[in-house]
Amino acid sequence: MIVSPTNPDRPAVAIVGLSCRLPGGIDGPQDLWEALQGGRDLVGEVPPDRFDPERFVDTERRRSNKSYTAAGGFLRDVTGFDNGYFQRVSPREAARMDPQHRLLLEMAVEALDDAGIDQAATAGSDTAVFVGMSSHDYADLQSTGGDAPNAYSMAGLAATNAANRISHLLDWHGPSMAVDTACSSALTALHQACETLRAGRARMALAGGVSVLLSPFGFTGFSAASMLSPTGRCRVFSAEADGYVRAEGGGVVALKVLSDALADGDRIHGVILASGVNSDGSTTGLALPSAQAQAALLEQVYAQAGVSADDLSYVEAHGTGTPVGDPIECDAIGRALGARRTVGPLPIGSVKSNTGHLEAASGMAGLVKALLVLRHRRIPPTLHAQPLSPHIDFEGWQLDPCTEARSLAEQRPVVGVNSFGFGGSNAHVVLAAAPVVPVDGPGEPPEGVLPVVVGCGSSGGTVELGFC
């Protein structure tokens, strides 16, 4: 049974808290699991509060300064903010904050709540914050708008403050920074958080990623590069793959070294056995990935984890549905893992077939799905994959796209999560299910009626309670 990496100098890291916001009204991991199990397609079209599709989209023909698709995975609300809860942030300041900052603040406290960690008890600690973020849509809109900047404008737009604001609000003194490696930003931030914990520079860390789509420029720019799907779906591993679908959202995890989490009695969502990052180096084009570099990273990370190809239960692929990227990624997974298996093909899938591609935050969507696979011992179906691509040698590489749901038979399964940036920055993490902790015999049951305590940050959030 795999519990921790073979190298004692690189201890395993426990995920003790978890939060997410994803397209289609997904406000937490349970919402996502229900959507995945139901095979729901969460992609829609640009909502009217972002930009006018009639001005910037033409689905009939390719035109400069126009997107050929209005498809995307969108959150239901990116303008709201709970000022009643975050009372140290004034309404004037909140109005000039990038919506990504506001979203991260809310997800950060939700991850702590999920972990059962008292925010006040962490004040003054060396807790670290690492955030993956790449979009600057809000800054672009502010620079072209008619409103003059005020005292909060520059702080509200600076990418570093996506992380720094969390540290400031909670009075944390550990490393705090934003990370931009394009589409691998979130998993790179997670890796940096794990490295900080392993080095003893912090006892707890938050890691996450966020992306919000506000401007038409990204749609027109990626259309000009022919990267987006004209049919509006991420057709991962498919013969009909024609590009990716932009999406928004994010997620945050609370992390501790596994031994500390066990000592603290934390509930553990999953265990990070190993993580790693590398770069493609020189390829035929900046946005063209390298199968050799991706495979080298996989070999390195699984060696650190002490996990063989046969130990692996599933890989959550980057899998965007591009006709170039998917074959290269499958080549790398097959070369480093699939072809080395003696227990049958390696199951692979991608959450992007449901949500679209969250770009800088995409690693968080993949991570949350992987944790749910571990929790429920079941792999949900990857949508839009049939018919499978003839350009991917699934049989030769021993890869098995999960186009239908299936159960995991392993006692304590291990899964991997892939993430790649379009500039060549690659990231991967290896996850195992939470360890089984021995429970002492039952103690004496408490006497009398136990109180239920409910707290809220504002009077509008109060509820009436009764005993029955």
Side-chain angles (χ1 to χ4, degrees):
M1 179 182 296
I2 297 168
V3 176
S4 61
T6 55
N7 185 350
D9 295 327
R10 299 186 63 80
V13 174
I15 298 173
V16 299
L18 179 62
S19 66
C20 66
R21 306 280 182 83
L22 298 171
I26 304 299
D27 290 329
Q30 183 57 35
D31 289 346
L32 178 60
W33 182 247
E34 292 172 2
L36 294 174
Q37 280 288 88
R40 286 174 52 197
D41 186 332
L42 304 173
V43 171
E45 292 196 340
V46 176
D49 64 344
R50 307 309 172 86
F51 58 86
D52 182 5
E54 291 191 4
R55 286 186 59 195
F56 297 102
V57 178
D58 186 347
T59 60
E60 299 299 322
R61 61 191 178 96
R62 303 287 179 97
R63 299 170 61 187
S64 62
N65 293 324
K66 296 273 188 177
S67 171
Y68 51 73
T69 177
F74 293 94
L75 301 177
R76 289 181 177 173
D77 178 22
V78 296
T79 61
F81 184 64
D82 191 350
N83 266 117
Y85 184 90
F86 296 99
Q87 295 182 4
R88 292 182 60 190
V89 180
S90 72
R92 284 191 67 205
E93 182 176 10
R96 290 303 178 104
M97 286 166 55
D98 188 317
Q100 296 175 119
H101 297 199
R102 300 197 297 257
L103 189 59
L104 278 167
L105 278 178
E106 294 182 345
M107 290 191 296
V109 298
E110 288 168 5
L112 292 177
D113 288 347
D114 178 70
I117 294 173
D118 180 7
Q119 297 174 32
T122 67
S125 70
D126 61 2
T127 301
V129 181
F130 295 87
V131 168
M133 191 176 87
S134 189
S135 171
H136 42 76
D137 280 9
Y138 192 66
D140 294 343
L141 292 175
Q142 291 290 298
S143 67
T144 58
D147 293 339
N150 66 17
Y152 301 110
S153 295
M154 300 313 295
L157 299 178
T160 186
N161 287 339
N164 296 169
R165 199 179 293 276
I166 296 171
S167 300
H168 173 262
L169 178 74
L170 299 174
D171 190 23
W172 290 345
H173 297 263
S176 180
M177 64 191 73
V179 175
D180 182 1
T181 58
C183 303
S184 59
S185 296
L187 276 201
T188 301
L190 178 67
H191 169 69
Q192 296 296 338
C194 290
E195 293 291 271
T196 296
L197 293 172
R198 291 169 182 144
R201 294 193 292 270
R203 193 175 187 276
M204 184 173 76
L206 289 193
V210 69
S211 184
V212 172
L213 309 177
L214 302 174
S215 166
F217 183 78
F219 285 84
T220 58
F222 286 122
S223 289
S226 298
M227 292 184 177
L228 302 185
S229 165
T231 57
R233 293 297 180 271
C234 290
R235 303 182 189 278
V236 185
F237 315 133
S238 173
E240 299 174 353
D242 59 0
Y244 82 90
V245 178
R246 304 190 77 203
E248 63 185 8
V252 171
V253 291
L255 308 168
K256 293 181 181 180
V257 169
L258 177 58
S259 57
D260 289 339
L262 292 172
D264 294 343
D266 292 317
R267 178 188 61 174
I268 297 173
H269 291 286
V271 177
I272 300 173
L273 299 179
S275 61
V277 297
N278 78 354
S279 180
D280 286 342
S282 180
T283 63
T284 54
L286 178 65
L288 293 177
S290 165
Q292 292 80 8
Q294 292 178 11
L297 176 63
L298 294 174
E299 291 170 355
Q300 170 196 330
V301 174
Y302 283 92
Q304 289 176 0
V307 173
S308 72
D310 283 346
D311 294 326
L312 194 56
S313 307
Y314 169 71
V315 169
E316 173 65 17
H318 186 62
T320 58
T322 61
V324 174
D326 286 5
I328 290 176
E329 180 181 14
C330 287
D331 181 304
I333 297 173
R335 182 180 312 190
L337 299 168
R340 302 183 183 186
R341 286 169 65 87
T342 63
V343 293
L346 175 64
I348 58 174
S350 174
V351 72
K352 295 177 183 66
S353 69
N354 303 88
T355 62
H357 181 12
L358 274 69
E359 298 176 344
S362 62
M364 282 295 112
L367 181 75
V368 175
K369 178 186 172 183
L371 290 170
L372 291 169
V373 168
L374 291 173
R375 177 188 298 176
H376 296 283
R377 303 292 198 274
R378 190 165 177 82
I379 305 171
T382 291
L383 310 182
H384 316 306
Q386 298 284 10
L388 294 177
S389 173
H391 304 295
I392 301 175
D393 186 4
F394 295 106
E395 183 176 355
W397 288 126
Q398 290 203 93
L399 301 178
D400 184 11
C402 297
T403 58
E404 296 181 356
R406 66 184 70 180
S407 298
L408 296 181
E410 294 84 355
Q411 183 179 5
R412 189 169 178 229
V414 177
V415 304
V417 184
N418 246 351
S419 200
F420 307 130
F422 74 161
S425 186
N426 309 314
H428 191 85
V429 298
V430 184
L431 302 170
V436 177
V437 180
V439 179
D440 296 332
E444 292 295 323
E447 297 182 358
V449 176
L450 295 177
V452 176
V453 180
V454 176
C456 58
S458 61
S459 59
T462 58
V463 295
E464 294 184 1
L465 294 177
F467 291 99
C468 55

